[in-house]
Amino acid sequence: MVHTLYLKRLGLVSLAFASLAACSSPSIDSSNGDLQGKIILTGSSTVAPLASELGKRFEEDHPHVRVDVQTGGSSRGLADARSGQADIGMMSRDLAIDETDVTAYAVAKDGVAIVIHADNPITELSPEKIVEIYKGDVTQWETVGGNDTPISVVNKAEGRSTLEVFLKHFDLKNSEIKAQIIIGDNEQGIKTITGNPDAIGYVSIGAAENSIARGEPLKLLPLEGIEPSTASVQDSSFPLSRTLNFVTSGEPETLSKAFIDFAQSSEVHNIVEQQNFVPIDFSK
Amino acid sequence: MASKIFSQSSSKTWPDFLLLGATWTTAISITVIFLWVVLSIVGQGLGQLSLEFLLTEPMNAGRDGGIAPMLISTLLILVVCLAVALPLGLGTALLLAEFSVSDKRFGQWVRRSLDFLAGVPSIVFGLFGSVFFSKILGLGFSLLSGGLTLACMVLPLLIRATEEGLRSQPASYRQGAAALGLSKTTTLFKVLLPAALPGLMVGLVLSVGRALAETAALIFTSGYVDRFPASLLDSGRALSIHIFDLSMNVPGGDHNAAASALVLLALLLILNGLAAFISLRWSTKIK
C-alpha cells in the first residue's frame, strides 16, 4: 500500500517537473503567434549596453521573451556564436574575409576619432604624423607644432575592436606601436586623456561627443580634413568607422531572427542614438 | 615594557624619536587614505542617492534609474556563496585544527593547497567557474554559478582564519574538557567553537568584503543582465560589475557609478556590523 502511494506521489512530482520544464524551455507558441523563450547574447562590451536596451524594449513588446545580454569582447561573441553558447554574438567590428562561417547583421555604426586634451593647441594632425607618433618616431609635441612637452601615447589593449579598426586604417602592426598607456573600454580612454594634457588616443566618436557635451576637456581631431561627428559617420564620409554587428552561426532561429529584425528596424533608432551610436537606415 | 619606554620622556634618545615619528606617520597616513577614499565616494555619490535610487530598475544602460535588481542579485550571490562556504570552511578548519594531529602530512598538504588558492588571482577563479559551473555543470550564466565561484574563492580565507582561531585556544581548554570526561563533540560545540568565534568572524568579514568587491570572477559566471532575477538560475548583475560598467563602459554613467559605490560601501559596513553584533551576542549567550 505504502509502496503504491509513494509511486503515485512520485508520479505527481515528476508530472509537476515535466510541466515546469515545458514552461521554461525555449519554444514558439504557434497558436497565437506570440514569441516565447530566452535569447542569449554575448560579446563586445561596446555593443552590450545597446543590446541590453534593445532587449528591454523587445521584452516590453513580447512579455514571454527574455533577452539576456552578457559581455566578454567581440572575440568571445564570435566564439560563442560558433559554439552555440550564445544565440547571437555581438561584434564591434566587421567580419574578416575568412570568417565566412557566420552571418553578420549590422545594427549600428560607430566612428573612431583621434582625441587629445582640450588644452592642447594642436588642431590637426596628418595621417603620416599620427603614424610617426604611434611608432614612437615623434616623441615631443613641439615637433608637430605644439607645446614643449613629451607626448603620452594611449593605445587600446589587444583584442579590442577599436584597436583593430585603428591599425587597419593606418596600416600599422600592434607590435610597432610604442605606447605609454594601454587602456580597455572607451570611457577609460576618455578619462585617461582628459586627465593628461599631453595625451593622444583614439575613442568612439559618440562617447567622445557625449563627454564634450558634459563639459569634459576633450578635443576631436579632424582626419584627412573631415570633421569627426555622428553626421559624417552617418553619411560614411568619415574614414575611420566600424560597424556594430550581431552575428549568428547559420540561419538564426525564429526568436533570434525576430530580435535581429527588431534591432535593424527604424523604430529603435532613438535607442541607438541614445547610446551614442549612429543608426543605419536600411530603407535606403 | 614598550609603553614604559615611550612614556618616560627623559630617557628618550634619537632612535626612540625616530621610531615614534615613523609609527605615527604610518598610522596617520593609513587613516588619511581611508578617509580620503570614503569622503571622495560620499562627496560624489551622496547627491545622487535617494530611496528611489535603491528601489527602481536601471534605465538607459544605467545612466538613469536605480540599482534595485543589482542589490537583489548581489545579496543572492552572497547568500549562495556563504551557504556553501561557511559549512565547508568550518568543517575543513575543524579537521585541520582538531583532528589532523594524527596525520600531519595530510594536514600540511591541505594547508599548502589553501595558501596556494588564496594567492590565485580572481580572474582565474572566474575562468574556472565559467568552464566548470557554467559549461560543464550546465548552470549557464546564473547567480548560482557566480555564488559557487565566489565560494571557491573565499574558502581559503575562511578556513585559515577559523583554523587560526581554533589553534589559538590553549591546550588547557581541551585537557580540562577531557578531564571532565566530555566527549570530543561536546568539547567542540561547548568549549572550542564559542572560543574560536572571533576567528570565524574575522574570516567571514574578510570573505564578505572580498565577495562584494569582486568583478573579475563574476562577469563570466553570474553575468551582466541588469533585470530582477526570477530564480537562482537566472543571470544577475552584481553591484561591483555595475559600478565597473558605468565608470568604464557607459559614457555619462559616472554619477550613478559613484552613488552605487556609496551603496556598496554602506552595504559592506552594515554586513560587517551585523557580523560583529551576532558574534558578540552569541559568545555572551554561550558564556
Side-chain angles (χ1 to χ4, degrees), chain B residues 25-200:
Chain B
T25 316
T26 30
I28 289 174
S29 45
I30 284 173
T31 319
V32 166
I33 291 170
F34 169 73
L35 286 177
W36 191 358
V37 170
V38 171
L39 287 180
S40 86
I41 291 175
V42 170
Q44 288 174 56
L46 202 60
Q48 315 293 330
L49 203 60
S50 64
L51 194 61
E52 202 193 340
F53 184 71
L54 297 177
L55 297 178
T56 53
E57 288 189 62
M59 282 181 297
N60 193 8
R63 293 180 188 91
D64 308 315
I67 51 163
M70 287 67 156
L71 268 181
I72 301 292
S73 299
T74 308
L75 289 174
L76 285 175
I77 293 169
L78 198 62
V79 165
V80 171
C81 164
L82 292 182
V84 174
L86 271 181
L88 276 179
L90 195 60
T92 315
L94 282 173
L95 174 90
L96 286 177
E98 302 298 322
F99 296 97
S100 71
V101 192
S102 53
D103 194 354
K104 264 194 174 153
R105 191 174 288 172
F106 173 69
Q108 252 168 13
W109 270 106
V110 175
R111 250 172 244 127
R112 210 161 283 169
S113 324
L114 286 174
D115 289 344
F116 174 74
L117 277 180
V120 169
S122 55
I123 184 70
V124 178
F125 280 104
L127 289 175
F128 163 76
S130 159
V131 171
F132 185 68
F133 296 120
S134 298
K135 280 189 191 149
I136 296 179
L137 295 188
L139 296 174
F141 286 98
S142 65
L143 297 176
L144 202 57
S145 173
L148 291 173
T149 307
L150 280 191
C152 296
M153 206 181 82
V154 302
L155 260 178
L157 275 176
L158 204 59
I159 295 170
R160 291 298 263 167
T162 315
E163 192 204 344
E164 286 310 313
L166 283 169
R167 272 184 189 282
S168 63
Q169 304 314 315
S172 58
Y173 281 18
R174 298 176 183 88
Q175 288 160 355
L180 288 171
L182 296 182
S183 70
K184 201 141 192 173
T185 323
T186 319
T187 314
L188 197 64
F189 283 103
K190 296 285 177 194
V191 182
L192 291 176
L193 271 188
L197 201 63
L200 180 66

Side-chain angles (χ1 to χ4, degrees), chain A residues 177-258:
Chain A
I177 290 182
K178 293 195 172 56
Q180 273 78 45
I181 305 161
I182 308 282
I183 50 128
D185 293 319
N186 267 317
E187 260 307 278
Q188 195 186 357
I190 290 172
K191 280 180 182 148
T192 309
I193 290 155
T194 53
N196 180 352
D198 299 319
I200 181 168
Y202 50 92
V203 296
S204 154
I205 292 177
E209 281 184 344
N210 182 299
S211 300
I212 293 170
R214 278 182 287 125
E216 305 265 357
L218 198 68
K219 184 154 65 177
L220 300 175
L221 293 182
L223 198 62
E224 293 162 23
I226 298 156
E227 280 300 324
S229 68
T230 36
S232 64
V233 174
Q234 184 134 42
D235 64 19
S236 300
S237 62
F238 190 73
L240 200 55
S241 77
R242 57 178 173 166
T243 315
L244 307 184
N245 286 307
F246 282 174
V247 295
T248 60
S249 171
E251 197 58 31
E253 288 170 40
T254 323
L255 189 56
S256 305
K257 183 83 180 71

Side-chain angles (χ1 to χ4, degrees), chain A:
Chain A
M1 269 307 275
V2 177
H3 213 78
T4 47
L5 199 70
Y6 176 72
L7 276 180
K8 260 186 193 166
R9 275 194 188 155
L10 199 71
L12 265 176
V13 170
S14 53
L15 202 72
F17 266 110
S19 54
L20 255 177
C23 283
S24 60
S25 71
S27 62
I28 313 295
D29 188 355
S30 52
S31 56
N32 55 5
D34 197 16
L35 293 167
Q36 249 185 28
K38 184 156 131 182
I39 315 171
I40 296 176
L41 290 91
T42 67
S44 161
S45 61
T46 310
V47 189
L50 170 65
S52 293
E53 289 302 306
L54 290 173
K56 276 181 195 163
R57 182 76 68 86
F58 193 71
E59 284 172 357
E60 277 173 24
D61 299 344
H62 307 278
H64 300 299
V65 175
R66 286 181 61 108
V67 182
D68 277 9
V69 178
Q70 309 290 354
T71 61
S74 295
S75 315
R76 174 155 189 170
L78 183 63
D80 283 355
R82 276 177 176 155
S83 70
Q85 196 77 21
D87 301 303
I88 301 172
M90 301 177 284
M91 291 179 74
S92 49
R93 61 171 173 84
D94 296 293
L95 288 177
I97 307 161
D98 57 339
E99 290 164 347
T100 48
D101 54 326
V102 289
T103 322
Y105 305 86
V107 288
K109 274 168 82 171
D110 182 30
V112 177
I114 309 292
V115 288
I116 53 175
H117 194 278
D119 292 346
N120 196 321
I122 302 279
T123 52
E124 175 149 24
L125 284 171
S126 67
E128 296 76 35
K129 285 276 176 289
I130 293 170
V131 168
E132 280 173 21
I133 289 174
Y134 268 86
K135 276 185 166 177
D137 299 336
V138 173
T139 56
Q140 297 289 324
W141 280 114
E142 208 174 7
T143 326
V144 289
N147 296 328
D148 180 20
T149 45
I151 302 174
S152 299
V153 175
V154 180
N155 196 26
K156 283 263 186 171
E158 194 77 57
R160 294 277 165 179
S161 297
T162 333
L163 171 75
E164 288 173 36
V165 172
F166 178 83
L167 294 179
K168 198 175 156 202
H169 180 83
F170 288 102
D171 199 21
L172 280 163
K173 281 201 217 80
N174 201 17
S175 53
E176 297 175 318
I177 290 182
K178 293 195 172 56
Q180 273 78 45
I181 305 161
I182 308 282
I183 50 128
D185 293 319
N186 267 317
E187 260 307 278
Q188 195 186 357
I190 290 172
K191 280 180 182 148
T192 309
I193 290 155
T194 53
N196 180 352
D198 299 319
I200 181 168
Y202 50 92
V203 296
S204 154
I205 292 177
E209 281 184 344
N210 182 299
S211 300
I212 293 170
R214 278 182 287 125
E216 305 265 357
L218 198 68
K219 184 154 65 177
L220 300 175
L221 293 182
L223 198 62
E224 293 162 23
I226 298 156
E227 280 300 324
S229 68
T230 36
S232 64
V233 174
Q234 184 134 42
D235 64 19
S236 300
S237 62
F238 190 73
L240 200 55
S241 77
R242 57 178 173 166
T243 315
L244 307 184
N245 286 307
F246 282 174
V247 295
T248 60
S249 171
E251 197 58 31
E253 288 170 40
T254 323
L255 189 56
S256 305
K257 183 83 180 71
F259 183 61
I260 292 170
D261 288 344
F262 173 76
Q264 287 186 322
S265 68
S266 57
E267 64 174 302
V268 300
H269 281 185
N270 61 337
I271 301 180
V272 174
E273 281 164 3
Q274 208 175 25
Q275 301 305 320
N276 306 309
F277 299 123
V278 181
I280 304 171
D281 198 348
F282 287 96
S283 58
K284 274 182 193 164

